[in-house]
Amino acid sequence: MNSDPIIQVKNLHKWYSGVHALKDVTLDFRRNETVGLVGDNGAGKSTLINLLSGMQSPTEGEIFFEGNKVSFKGPADAMEAGIETIYQYNSMVPTMSIARNMFIGREPMKYSIGGIGILDTKKMAVESVQAIADVDLHLRSPDALVGELSGGQRQGVAIARAMHFKSKVMILDEPTNHLAVKETQKVLGFIKSLKTIGIPGIFISHNIHHVFECCDRMVAMARGEVVLNKRVEDTNMTEILEVL
Amino acid sequence: MRRPSNVPSNDTISMKRFFKIYLEKPELAGLVFLAILTIVFQARSGGVFLNGVNLQGILGLLPEVALVAMGVTLLMICGEFDLSVGSVFALTPMSMAVLLEAGWPFLPAISVGLFVAMAVGFVNGVLTVKFAIPSFITTLGMLFVARSLTVVISGGFPPLLPLNVIPKWLFVTYVGPGDMFRVSFIWFVVIAVGMTLLLSRTNFGNWVRATGGFLPAAKSMGIPTKRVKIACFMICSLLAGFAGTLQVMRLGAPLPSIGEGLELQAVAAAVIGGTALTGGIGTILGGIIGATLIRVIDNGLVLSQVDANWFKMALGALTVFAVILNAWLRKKAKSIKVETGK
């Protein structure tokens, strides 16, 4: 598999009303790598992810996706390009069914006028069952409410959703927070399986053990800057803890 | 799907799931109350409650409250409030009446009226999402502003509605077997079906539910949540304005005071019908059931020869009990275990 960068960020800066949250970050995310992004609270991880997922725009600097300069106006733009983000608990609506959650914002329609139209509920049911089975998650009914699922199952559905829409890069923002041990293992399993199906991932976590377990490259951030960027085999836990 | 042999049979499971699904229906509590009250009133009134003439009375007035309740329900599912519907209920027909008195033909006059209603909704929505303030505040302000405008444009003297230019046959004439309902009831049914489909069968409905259900998720999935909210404010206002117009055409005179207190009745209807104040949960049918209950109580108390001043007492008690019953039913439903996975 080729190793040219799928996402490149160059000299990225982000200011939040007087706070310099991201300072001159330059990074490459390659096609054949799962990158672990670690750092303390306020180190700039989330800011970087918000820029990549289109939630916010950089104050300064450039983002390239598959070699082309991009400026996302919102999450829909980033998803359209193929960058899917999974948040710790942000990406599912508990009061809605699994099938409806799968297709929020990207609903298949029988016909539509000006972007508003009649849902193809049959297609939604069939495809969500298939997508969930594809990530080896077994749920009885696509009509069950997401609020009835466990935290791990929810992340599973979120990952199934990302796979279903053929995302080219998957960003996982603290996906294992608030999960039981067994469920955490399951989500880590999902992350490892990304590599086997050839989807590069960016995995953000507080837990350095988890990151070591399923990533190829470690990127550590502190005070808004990248302080370490090495292949996992070239670094170790102690070194990372020192730079943080 | 594989299942170990000691698990209950498929039949038991599907029965359980059936119960679970129905107990979880947010409009169930309202429906239960409606059935009970119908029986009570029918007995107390010596059979008058369900006879043709009385039903005609209930159904004739129902569309006006129910249209307002539907709009408020939609908006509450989207996670916002509208306290200005009572004032829009008066402002819209007043705008129309003033123009009719000035010699405008009917169609342009009612169009301007409904446009005013949508404009009010638009302002409510834009103020709420742009400045990120609670819609409780924006629409409370609008309640006074729109009411004041109504009185101002009426000039203090409500204009006389030139009855000959209003196509009564299109809105308020009695139709149906035994003149059971007014044409307004047909409008109400068509709009109710349309609204139900909009919420349950379109992508827009999906966005409304997601926006009210969990805003951060809706945003991160790229839904234009601000525009969805503004659209809901506009639909809500439009329905309130149309409902007020229906009432004025029925009464034949635009009074600047109509619809006072209606905003709270509409919220009560939505809540009785199972709509959650926190957004995301509720159905249009629930709002209609809630509105029907309000009409039924109003009418049934009179027929039962109860002092009419008990109406608000009954409405208040019902609102609280419906919510309690709903919460209890949902808890029951949750305790029925139907596995979601293995």
Side-chain angles (χ1 to χ4, degrees), chain B:
Chain B
M1 197 171 287
R2 282 174 290 127
R3 192 183 298 128
S5 55
N6 64 345
V7 171
S9 73
N10 263 331
D11 276 358
T12 335
I13 285 182
S14 57
M15 268 304 280
K16 266 178 151 184
R17 182 169 299 155
F18 180 81
F19 267 121
K20 191 177 166 75
I21 287 170
Y22 277 88
L23 285 181
E24 271 177 348
K25 292 262 180 232
E27 59 271 32
L28 184 66
L31 211 51
V32 170
F33 278 120
L34 186 57
I36 295 173
L37 283 178
T38 304
I39 295 167
V40 169
F41 285 140
Q42 176 73 355
R44 291 266 319 184
S45 65
V48 177
F49 182 70
L50 283 181
N51 77 12
V53 178
N54 193 49
L55 277 184
Q56 190 188 37
I58 296 179
L59 295 181
L61 301 187
L62 176 66
E64 294 156 17
V65 186
L67 284 168
V68 179
M70 278 195 272
V72 169
T73 303
L74 177 79
L75 190 59
M76 280 172 69
I77 294 172
C78 194
E80 297 292 345
F81 255 120
D82 191 349
L83 294 177
S84 68
V85 285
S87 301
V88 173
F89 190 88
L91 177 60
T92 303
M94 187 59 80
S95 314
M96 178 184 81
V98 168
L99 292 175
L100 284 177
E101 202 191 29
W104 284 44
F106 176 75
L107 200 62
I110 192 175
S111 306
V112 169
L114 295 177
F115 178 80
V116 167
M118 282 205 288
V120 169
F122 182 75
V123 172
N124 280 339
V126 168
L127 289 179
T128 303
V129 301
K130 282 273 180 256
F131 298 101
I133 43 178
S135 49
F136 191 93
I137 306 294
T138 42
T139 61
L140 179 64
M142 188 57 87
L143 178 153
F144 296 117
V145 170
R147 182 66 66 185
S148 171
L149 276 178
T150 310
V151 180
V152 169
I153 63 169
S154 78
F157 293 96
L160 277 176
L161 216 50
L163 292 174
N164 53 330
V165 299
I166 292 176
K168 281 202 146 197
W169 57 272
L170 192 56
F171 295 103
V172 288
T173 317
Y174 282 105
V175 288
D179 282 349
M180 187 55 86
F181 37 75
R182 293 173 185 266
V183 186
S184 60
F185 193 77
I186 298 174
W187 281 92
F188 154 67
V189 171
V190 171
I191 293 172
V193 170
M195 288 282 287
T196 304
L197 291 178
L198 180 72
L199 188 58
S200 62
R201 287 278 168 266
T202 68
N203 56 343
F204 178 76
N206 222 30
W207 299 350
V208 169
R209 226 173 253 289
T211 301
F214 192 35
L215 191 61
K219 272 188 188 159
S220 73
M221 293 311 292
I223 291 175
T225 53
K226 289 185 174 171
R227 262 182 277 164
V228 169
K229 284 187 174 183
I230 292 174
C232 286
F233 273 109
M234 291 175 74
I235 293 172
C236 177
S237 245
L238 177 64
L239 289 179
F242 184 59
T245 309
L246 286 178
Q247 180 166 96
V248 161
M249 286 192 284
R250 177 171 62 81
L251 298 174
L255 299 174
S257 61
I258 58 168
E260 266 171 8
L262 188 63
E263 55 285 328
L264 297 182
Q265 276 196 27
V267 173
V271 169
I272 292 168
T275 310
L277 285 184
T278 45
I281 301 174
T283 59
I284 297 296
L285 180 64
I288 295 171
I289 291 172
T292 312
L293 263 169
I294 292 176
R295 298 283 354 127
V296 162
I297 294 175
D298 194 5
N299 179 281
L301 287 181
V302 173
L303 289 185
S304 312
Q305 298 174 336
V306 176
D307 184 346
N309 291 319
W310 285 101
F311 169 65
K312 283 186 180 169
M313 166 95 168
L315 179 56
L318 179 75
T319 306
V320 175
F321 279 117
V323 173
I324 292 173
L325 180 63
N326 237 324
W328 183 78
L329 286 173
R330 213 165 292 157
K331 213 171 122 195
K332 277 280 156 212
K334 245 189 180 152
S335 68
I336 297 178
K337 293 218 159 41
V338 177
E339 289 169 52
T340 49
K342 54 180 181 182

